[in-house]
Amino acid sequence: MTNAGTNNATTSSSTAEARVVDAVPTGLFIGGSWRPAASGRTLTVDDPATGKALCEVADAGPEDGAEALAAAVAAQAAFAAMPPRDRGEILRSAYQVIMDRIDDLALLMTLEMGKPLAESRGEVAYAAEFFRWFAEEAVRIDGGYAVAPNGASRFLVQKQPVGVSLLITPWNFPMAMGTRKIGPAIAAGCAMVMKPAQQTPLSMHALAAILAEVGLPDGVLNLVTTSDAGGVMEPLIRDGRARKLSFTGSTAVGKKLLEQCSEKVLRTSMELGGNAPFLVFDDADLDKAVEGAMLAKMRNMGEACTAANRFLVQRGVAEEFARRLTERMGALVVGRGTDDGVQVGPLVDAKGRDKVVDLVRDAVDRGATVHVGGEPGDGPGYFYRPTVLSGVPLEARLTSEEIFGPVAAITVFDEEDEALTAANDTEFGLVSYLYTENITRALRVSERLEAGMIGLNTGLVSNPAAPFGGIKESGLGREGGSVGIEEFLETKYVAIGFGG
Ligand code: NAP
């Protein structure tokens, strides 16, 4: 067990696995240095495919959090004054280093999170792309100059960094959820305290090391991994020196954090939970719909906020859609994400797997039919078999709760209005998927779906160049796209007296 520096991954089985885990700095990163937690405590990071420990990392307490905030506060003014081009070059260099090391970073991610290597490579590339995108945005921060309507004064409008920002990310996309916040924060000139999920901190530790390597000034990014998220972050939120919280995670935790932010009126970005409907109309191209369903359902083993949670399929194609989806889901290879040919890894932990077991049991008890799967996979990891259910009644729990697992739940509808009512019957509003070849229907239904994002004849909406985010209880603000940097900028207006 080590507190700082790199660790010795005695439990990793293969040489490559041990090498990538050994290379990760395991301390807290504060003020440009890696160091142990003040308490000396560590927490264990497990491999969800085996349930075995990968390594120990420093476990921050409130005193470490306070130091991280102080380091960010100390770094803020100089970083805000750094030329935008220089901030952009740091991001561009980090993008390149990440891409150069994509294989090792993907292996590390698979080890701590479970997803198959090909998916981890996809996430690492997606994560890096946020840095490339925001490297380009850093030099496009604009302002304005205008004549007042009565001509008596002038308006100068300028954008300034919001200031020290607190970032909190979930375990399901261990690197991309971080770069989606760190990228625009660096581009805008904000120093940060980042708290990754305790289950998957290693990708973020590796990322912090890369940013330091490419010249991010000391204190701009401070990393506090902890088993006491509330105990470490709440004092920082209530402190008042940090001016921004950007959170990705569950709606329940997001609501609690919004309350805490109200005390000092922090700016907030909230990327919260989802309950995506996936609508397939009789006039859909079924080949495309099944392909899109596989992507929208099975990306990340279903552990995605954008995962299709409810398949609403029009009666004319419902049987054929279920048949084809069952065939595809039944053919998927489940196993440890590091193994060749594996397409579906384990769920993140026993709690996540048991929730899927309960939700499927509830649906079956209420009359749903299991076409394939319907039970956990073989241990010792937290596997669940790819599953297709049909005849799922709208009262089943899995139509209102995030499944976060490889389970496709199909409900049949007859009329467009009926599908829209069911689709919108949720407190969430992150993404909705829609398959139809009828352009008028596509536009009409897109307008009426209550979601921040629509996948029209596609099962993938995430793109660093597009505004990602939800409405209703799925969140506040957008990440990525040309609006992504705005989340880390304040608008200042200077009124200029003009004569008289
Ligand atoms: P979670 O339990 O809300 O945790 C998210 C993060 O918040 C983790 O880092 C967690 O720390 C931390 N946290 C927990 N309680 C906290 C507290 N009291 N104060 C401060 N931080 C706290 O969510 P999760 O289970 O990790 O992630 C899954 C959820 O994230 C799903 O609902 C999913 O839909 C959502 N998500 C949304 C998006 C989006 O863009 N909308 C993207 C990905 C995921 P620990 O590590 O200690 O738990």
Side-chain angles (χ1 to χ4, degrees):
M1 186 184 295
T2 56
N3 289 328
T6 56
N7 67 81
N8 41 4
T10 48
T11 47
S12 292
S13 50
S14 87
T15 317
E17 291 173 19
R19 180 176 54 74
V20 298
V21 176
D22 281 350
V24 179
T26 55
L28 307 174
F29 188 59
I30 297 178
S33 304
W34 293 94
R35 62 165 184 72
S39 66
R41 276 199 301 270
T42 59
L43 64 85
T44 308
V45 182
D46 291 330
D47 175 349
T50 61
K52 288 191 182 146
L54 284 171
C55 66
E56 299 281 326
V57 299
D59 185 2
E63 61 277 52
D64 301 303
E67 282 196 31
L69 178 59
V73 170
Q76 178 57 47
F79 191 53
M82 180 185 264
R85 175 68 74 198
D86 293 357
R87 297 198 304 264
E89 292 296 334
I90 290 170
L91 288 171
R92 188 63 175 74
S93 302
Y95 160 81
Q96 196 56 56
V97 174
I98 295 169
M99 294 308 290
D100 291 347
R101 297 182 194 161
I102 190 167
D103 289 335
D104 282 0
L105 291 167
L107 178 56
L108 185 68
M109 187 180 290
T110 291
L111 289 172
E112 67 173 342
M113 191 272 168
K115 69 182 84 178
L117 272 178
E119 284 205 54
S120 290
R121 283 179 63 90
E123 182 183 336
V124 173
Y126 172 55
E129 199 57 43
F130 280 105
F131 279 2
R132 182 156 67 161
W133 174 261
F134 284 108
E136 293 155 355
E137 291 296 283
V139 292
R140 314 226 186 289
I141 298 169
D142 60 6
Y145 181 81
V147 179
N150 66 2
S153 63
R154 300 292 182 265
F155 304 155
L156 184 66
V157 178
Q158 136 188 44
K159 300 280 176 68
Q160 295 185 321
V162 67
V164 170
S165 300
L166 307 175
L167 315 178
I168 302 177
T169 52
W171 50 264
N172 60 346
F173 292 99
M175 189 178 279
M177 297 303 96
T179 57
R180 209 158 75 165
K181 301 180 190 307
I182 295 169
I186 290 178
C190 297
M192 297 153 268
V193 177
M194 152 64 76
K195 194 213 78 63
Q198 61 180 303
Q199 285 168 301
T200 59
L202 302 182
S203 297
M204 194 55 62
H205 282 233
L207 188 75
I210 288 173
L211 283 164
E213 185 183 326
V214 300
L216 188 70
D218 292 351
V220 172
L221 176 68
N222 302 280
L223 182 64
V224 284
T225 298
T226 177
S227 61
D228 180 16
V232 171
M233 296 310 287
E234 186 170 351
L236 309 193
I237 293 169
R238 294 191 188 278
D239 180 278
R241 284 177 293 167
R243 296 309 313 150
K244 162 93 192 177
L245 173 70
S246 179
F247 172 77
T248 299
S250 63
T251 295
V253 173
K255 286 181 181 178
K256 199 193 289 188
L257 296 177
L258 279 170
E259 274 180 33
Q260 294 173 13
C261 286
S262 71
E263 186 179 329
K264 291 284 178 0
V265 194
L266 267 61
R267 283 271 301 272
T268 57
S269 301
M270 292 279 152
E271 296 290 345
L272 308 177
N275 179 5
F278 188 107
L279 277 60
V280 184
F281 287 93
D282 282 349
D283 50 22
D285 176 327
L286 267 202
D287 290 337
K288 281 193 220 163
V290 172
E291 203 57 49
M294 291 299 292
L295 197 54
K297 182 71 255 179
M298 294 307 293
R299 178 171 176 240
N300 229 36
M301 290 84 72
E303 294 172 313
C305 52
T306 50
N309 214 51
R310 300 168 289 152
F311 287 87
L312 299 166
V313 186
Q314 203 160 15
R315 192 169 303 279
V317 292
E319 204 171 305
E320 179 62 8
F321 178 81
R323 190 190 66 74
R324 292 199 207 177
L325 190 61
T326 300
E327 201 174 285
R328 292 284 299 274
M329 293 281 272
L332 291 173
V333 179
V334 182
R336 188 167 189 239
T338 49
D339 294 348
D340 283 347
V342 164
Q343 294 161 296
V344 184
L347 298 182
V348 75
D349 56 20
K351 193 168 149 229
R353 194 254 332 263
D354 294 348
K355 180 179 177 195
V356 177
V357 170
D358 285 351
L359 289 177
V360 170
R361 188 176 300 136
D362 170 77
V364 171
D365 287 350
R366 291 174 195 265
T369 303
V370 179
H371 291 258
V372 67
E375 54 189 5
D378 300 328
Y382 314 112
F383 296 98
Y384 197 88
R385 296 183 199 285
T387 296
V388 177
L389 305 174
S390 70
V392 176
L394 291 175
E395 317 76 69
R397 277 177 54 204
L398 50 60
T399 65
S400 57
E401 294 179 36
E402 277 187 294
I403 302 170
F404 250 54
V407 177
I410 301 174
T411 303
V412 175
F413 70 87
D414 289 298
E415 303 298 332
E416 186 178 298
D417 270 351
E418 184 190 348
L420 274 162
T421 303
N424 291 335
D425 185 20
T426 166
E427 68 272 28
F428 296 106
L430 188 61
V431 57
S432 299
Y433 302 93
L434 157 67
Y435 275 80
T436 174
E437 293 295 304
N438 177 326
I439 182 72
T440 310
R441 189 202 296 275
L443 296 177
R444 185 173 62 229
V445 174
S446 295
E447 284 184 13
R448 291 181 61 197
L449 282 168
E450 296 169 0
M453 301 176 287
I454 307 283
L456 173 57
N457 293 328
T458 177
L460 182 70
V461 294
S462 305
N463 190 309
F468 187 104
I471 61 170
K472 294 160 81 176
E473 293 186 27
S474 287
L476 298 167
R478 295 292 180 270
E479 292 188 321
S482 53
V483 297
I485 195 168
E486 296 291 336
E487 302 280 322
F488 290 89
L489 291 170
E490 290 287 11
T491 299
K492 180 181 277 179
Y493 140 63
V494 181
I496 306 168
F498 215 72

